[in-house]
Amino acid sequence: SRYLAAVASVAMSDRAPDGRFRHKLVLVPFTDTPGTPRFVTSMEDLFEILRDPKKALVAANGGTDIQAALMQAFALIADAQVQA
């Protein structure tokens, strides 16, 4: 999707002076339950996902329990903040 491409490319192009990414990009696919989070760690990862999002994110063929996916995403954010 264009929205995913726009958000992801901005996040992946924003780097600190030392070259590290300023943001962590994690996609949480979902159907009736959240799928396995996909950590995007390089532009190659991003391009792979954008070429075929249904294949790359696996859980894109069923229900729509976005609330559970958001709860998983918030837990990943909390973990990242503790590790920072």
Side-chain angles (χ1 to χ4, degrees):
S1 91
R2 282 188 232 162
Y3 179 74
L4 174 59
V7 170
S9 62
V10 168
M12 296 301 291
S13 63
D14 187 13
R15 294 182 180 243
D18 65 3
R20 292 183 306 145
F21 294 115
R22 290 184 191 269
H23 308 282
K24 291 185 181 187
L25 182 58
V26 182
L27 303 175
V28 180
F30 64 93
T31 58
D32 291 331
T33 59
T36 302
R38 177 76 185 261
F39 292 82
V40 181
T41 58
S42 68
M43 293 303 284
E44 291 79 22
D45 286 347
L46 176 59
F47 294 145
E48 178 186 333
I49 291 167
L50 294 176
R51 273 192 296 273
D52 193 353
K54 287 184 180 179
K55 179 181 174 192
L57 299 175
V58 179
N61 60 353
T64 57
D65 192 358
I66 193 170
Q67 185 172 3
L70 288 171
M71 294 302 291
Q72 183 175 3
F74 292 143
L76 291 167
I77 292 168
D79 288 346
Q81 289 177 331
V82 168
Q83 293 175 10

